[in-house]
């Protein structure tokens, strides 16, 4: 007979709240979205009138140019956002790992954007990046730039600009994680590299990067997933505009579901997004053996 120890009982009670919360707020909504996606629930009507539609909603998504372009813009946002936040966080963590005056204050200030409300961030950056009266463009004109970018008001610049704002907003967590990883690198490895004649760049490439590669792997995966969850910042900065230049898939799903009442159509897009993220994660997980050193 299987006997459960007291430690296992304690562990069970500690894990139970997380499992219950995950099942209630993540697993069940995902299953419900999948069920809705194979029904014809694309208008206000009684649930008794809803019928099985098979893959028709998924086929409709693949034939909808707005949905497909929204998926494409989400990938563009990801390509702009993920390298930006990873590289900037690594550079900042290396700076914070060094000794300088007011280092503690600087480490504290990096947390301010992370805890700031998204709406407040959107208001401030909308003012700063105003293409006509904004502070940024006025400074650019003052230093001799004749035609400064339109930033949030440009068809080609709105999405990269939003990605840049989101990099600033989300920078604290990866910086802190990288800082912890850098502080865990044994100093004797740097000393051995110096004895072999390695300079700063060589030590960074041969010692630092390999030893923090598990942290980089973790941050790349989490930030790729987070880059697709960009509804709030885009809604408050541009609401998908100008035109549809920043209408990403998260915003498109919301609009289809709650503005046009196409619940099944929106759910099909959400499930496809889930599948895309899952495939990207699996590819990364299998490819980590080539560059992640444990």
């Amino acid at each position: 007979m299987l006997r459960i120890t007291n430690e296992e009982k304690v562990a069970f009670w500690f894990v139970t709240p997380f499992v219950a919360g995950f099942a209630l707020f993540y697993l069940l909504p995902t299953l419900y979205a999948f069920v809705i996606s194979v029904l014809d629930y694309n208008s206000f009507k009684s649930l008794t009138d809803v019928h099985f539609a098979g893959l028709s909603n998924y086929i409709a998504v693949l034939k909808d140019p707005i949905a497909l372009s929204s998926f494409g813009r989400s990938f563009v946002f990801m390509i702009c956002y993920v390298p930006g936040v990873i590289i900037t966080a690594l550079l900042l963590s290396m700076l914070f790992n060094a000794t300088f005056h007011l280092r503690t204050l600087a480490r504290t200030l990096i947390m301010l954007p992370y805890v700031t409300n998204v709406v407040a961030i959107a208001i401030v950056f909308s003012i700063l990046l105003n293409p006509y009266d904004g502070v940024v463009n006025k400074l650019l004109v003052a230093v001799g730039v004749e035609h400064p970018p339109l930033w949030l008001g440009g068809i080609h610049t709105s999405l990269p600009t939003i990605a840049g704002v989101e990099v600033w907003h989300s920078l604290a967590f990866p910086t802190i994680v990288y800082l912890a990883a850098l502080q865990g690198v044994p100093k004797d490895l740097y000393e051995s590299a110096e004895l072999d004649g390695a300079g700063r760049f060589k030590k960074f490439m041969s010692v630092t990067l390999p030893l923090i590669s598990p942290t980089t792997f973790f941050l790349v995966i989490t930030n790729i997933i987070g880059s697709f969850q960009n509804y709030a910042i885009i809604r408050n900065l541009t609401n998908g505009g100008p035109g549809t230049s920043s209408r990403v898939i998260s915003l498109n799903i919301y609009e289809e579901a709650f503005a046009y009442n196409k619940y099944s159509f929106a759910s099909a897009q959400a499930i496809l997004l889930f599948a895309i993220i899952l495939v990207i994660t699996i590819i990364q997980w299998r490819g980590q053996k080539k560059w992640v050193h444990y």
Side-chain angles (χ1 to χ4, degrees):
M1 183 177 178
L2 182 64
R3 299 183 62 182
I4 301 177
T5 64
N6 289 332
E7 291 183 354
E8 291 173 336
K9 290 180 181 179
V10 172
F12 172 79
W13 286 114
F14 271 105
V15 172
T16 297
F18 169 79
V19 174
F22 177 81
L24 182 62
F25 297 109
Y26 290 92
L27 184 59
L28 288 179
T30 302
L31 295 176
Y32 181 74
F34 176 76
V35 172
I36 290 293
S37 70
V38 295
L39 301 177
D40 63 344
Y41 193 28
N42 286 317
S43 63
F44 274 129
K45 55 184 174 181
S46 174
L47 291 177
T48 57
D49 297 329
V50 176
H51 303 289
F52 180 74
L55 298 176
S56 60
N57 289 303
Y58 293 93
I59 295 173
V61 171
L62 298 177
K63 291 182 178 180
D64 184 18
I66 296 178
L68 293 178
S69 60
S70 297
F71 274 108
R73 292 188 199 97
S74 292
F75 277 100
V76 172
F77 183 90
M78 178 190 71
I79 292 171
C80 294
Y81 169 76
V82 176
V85 73
I86 294 296
I87 294 173
T88 308
L90 178 58
L91 294 175
L92 279 177
S93 63
M94 292 176 65
L95 174 64
F96 292 154
N97 196 38
T99 302
F100 60 92
H101 191 55
L102 298 178
R103 184 178 66 170
T104 303
L105 177 62
R107 289 180 175 181
T108 304
L109 291 177
I110 195 65
M111 287 297 298
L112 290 181
Y114 195 68
V115 298
T116 304
N117 186 273
V118 176
V119 177
I121 290 173
I123 292 173
V124 171
F125 275 96
S126 295
I127 296 172
L128 292 175
L129 298 175
N130 185 300
Y132 306 106
D133 299 320
V135 175
V136 174
N137 276 7
K138 284 186 176 180
L139 289 175
L140 291 176
V141 171
V143 297
V145 179
E146 295 183 359
H147 302 288
L150 293 177
W151 303 116
L152 298 171
I155 295 176
H156 302 294
T157 58
S158 58
L159 204 56
T161 301
I162 297 171
V165 173
E166 185 61 14
V167 167
W168 176 83
H169 178 220
S170 307
L171 201 55
F173 176 74
T175 301
I176 292 172
V177 173
Y178 262 137
L179 180 60
L182 288 173
Q183 292 177 344
V185 177
K187 288 184 171 31
D188 56 345
L189 294 179
Y190 290 119
E191 295 172 355
S192 299
E194 287 179 359
L195 291 176
D196 292 335
R200 284 188 177 182
F201 181 76
K202 187 65 175 179
K203 287 190 293 183
F204 175 75
M205 297 300 295
S206 302
V207 178
T208 305
L209 277 185
L211 289 180
I212 66 171
S213 58
T215 302
T216 302
F217 176 67
F218 164 74
L219 290 176
V220 168
I221 286 185
T222 55
N223 279 284
I224 285 178
I225 295 173
S227 68
F228 287 99
Q229 301 170 342
N230 51 9
Y231 169 81
I233 190 69
I234 291 180
R235 178 78 177 191
N236 286 284
L237 278 173
T238 62
N239 197 24
T244 58
S245 60
S246 61
R247 187 184 179 93
V248 294
I249 192 60
S250 59
L251 182 61
N252 193 65
I253 290 172
Y254 176 87
E255 293 285 344
E256 294 287 357
F258 301 108
Y260 306 119
N261 304 319
K262 296 181 179 180
Y263 304 109
S264 294
F265 185 62
S267 296
Q269 295 180 55
I271 296 299
L272 286 174
L273 177 61
F274 171 78
I276 290 171
I277 295 174
L278 180 61
V279 170
I280 292 174
T281 304
I282 291 174
I283 292 173
Q284 287 181 299
W285 195 268
R286 292 193 173 183
Q288 65 170 313
K289 296 179 181 179
K290 296 180 179 180
W291 62 279
V292 179
H293 306 277
Y294 291 102

